[in-house]
Amino acid sequence: MFDELMRRGWPALAESDLDGWLARVSGGVTQRANSVASLAEPADVDAAVSAVERLYAEHGLPAVFQVGPTARPADLDARLAARGYEFGSPTVFEVAETAAVLARLPAHPVPVTLADEPDESWMDLWWRVDGRGGADARAVARAILTGGPARYAAVDGPHGALAVARLALVGEWGGLYCLAVHPAARRRGLGTAVTRALLADAAPAGVSRCWLQVRAENAAALALYEAAGFTPAARYHYRTSPPPRDS
């Protein structure tokens, strides 16, 4: 379940089926959109890994696998580790009932703007807080964001957005992404305001459940989301191919 939610909530620009593995490529922008989802077990695992490595090398990227409880084969993580793939970005996938989250999040009087696409002010803040790279990378990121149905929330200030968030729409599910607050506007409840606005907007349209992803080492965020009604449903991490050896 969570594989498909993440795939549709953060869609890659291109996908290739490699004998049951889904290799996603998006110009190297974000691990989610540039990694392999190992959805089924290939007939020859070693040959499939080599095919993955060739595919990503053609795009000038390292081979990256997203490894969670549904990874196939079940010993994929050990196989990749034996090939020298590096462990990184342990992440918790959390879920909640939309109504339960709304009941726990306090209302905020600040006006929140909602839209079907991110405007430049929205992008400016999110990229400032969470972006990596220049104009080309930002353009790829925008294509990922708008690759599937979503809603965008912003608290606007006199010189641009002060807080933003995105809710990916996947049937009855809503995926919370891209929560960012301007450094000068933190600790004012603006992150809660945009989150609540998105869920309150989506609930009447049938979004009864929601999810988010948070880094496993971020204890403060985990505690915050637990207080908001989210509970862990799965964990995953990435394995990245080692850099090529000097000849």
Side-chain angles (χ1 to χ4, degrees):
M1 174 196 74
F2 82 97
D3 293 297
E4 185 62 15
L5 289 176
M6 289 191 294
R7 177 190 177 194
R8 294 174 63 184
W10 196 263
L13 301 190
E15 297 179 338
S16 298
D17 186 339
L18 299 177
D19 197 11
W21 286 352
L22 191 68
R24 301 166 290 192
V25 177
S26 303
V29 178
T30 78
Q31 283 183 307
R32 296 186 198 115
N34 293 273
S35 59
V36 175
S38 48
L39 305 177
E41 183 168 351
D44 186 329
V45 176
D46 289 333
V49 173
S50 295
V52 165
E53 292 173 347
R54 289 194 298 272
L55 174 66
Y56 282 98
E58 290 171 2
H59 293 274
L61 299 171
V64 181
F65 285 78
Q66 188 180 62
V67 184
T70 61
R72 294 294 178 269
D75 64 348
L76 177 62
D77 192 52
R79 288 173 177 262
L80 295 174
R83 293 175 71 113
Y85 276 64
E86 299 173 357
F87 175 94
S89 303
T91 302
V92 183
F93 182 90
E94 300 205 325
V95 299
E97 299 293 326
T98 303
V101 177
L102 287 171
R104 294 188 182 205
L105 291 181
H108 197 296
V110 65
V112 178
T113 301
L114 296 170
D116 291 329
E117 292 192 1
D119 62 17
E120 289 307 301
S121 177
W122 194 103
M123 286 294 302
D124 286 344
L125 177 60
W126 175 63
W127 197 249
R128 170 178 177 172
V129 173
D130 219 21
R132 298 174 183 83
D136 289 346
R138 173 170 160 155
V140 171
R142 183 182 178 86
I144 293 170
L145 293 178
T146 58
R151 292 284 276 167
Y152 299 84
V155 173
D156 296 315
H159 305 293
L162 298 176
V164 298
R166 171 182 181 263
L167 187 73
L169 302 174
V170 184
E172 66 173 344
W173 285 89
L176 287 163
Y177 290 92
C178 304
L179 178 61
V181 180
H182 193 287
R186 290 173 182 167
R187 302 187 183 278
R188 299 184 194 173
L190 301 186
T192 296
V194 291
T195 300
R196 196 180 198 288
L198 285 169
L199 294 178
D201 174 69
V207 177
S208 59
R209 307 186 73 186
C210 48
W211 87 87
L212 55 80
Q213 293 134 262
V214 58
R215 290 288 289 268
E217 69 272 18
N218 192 340
L222 287 168
L224 181 67
Y225 294 135
E226 180 181 356
F230 285 88
T231 57
R235 291 174 179 265
Y236 66 90
H237 58 272
Y238 294 91
R239 285 282 183 181
T240 303
S241 59
R245 298 175 182 174
D246 294 333
S247 56

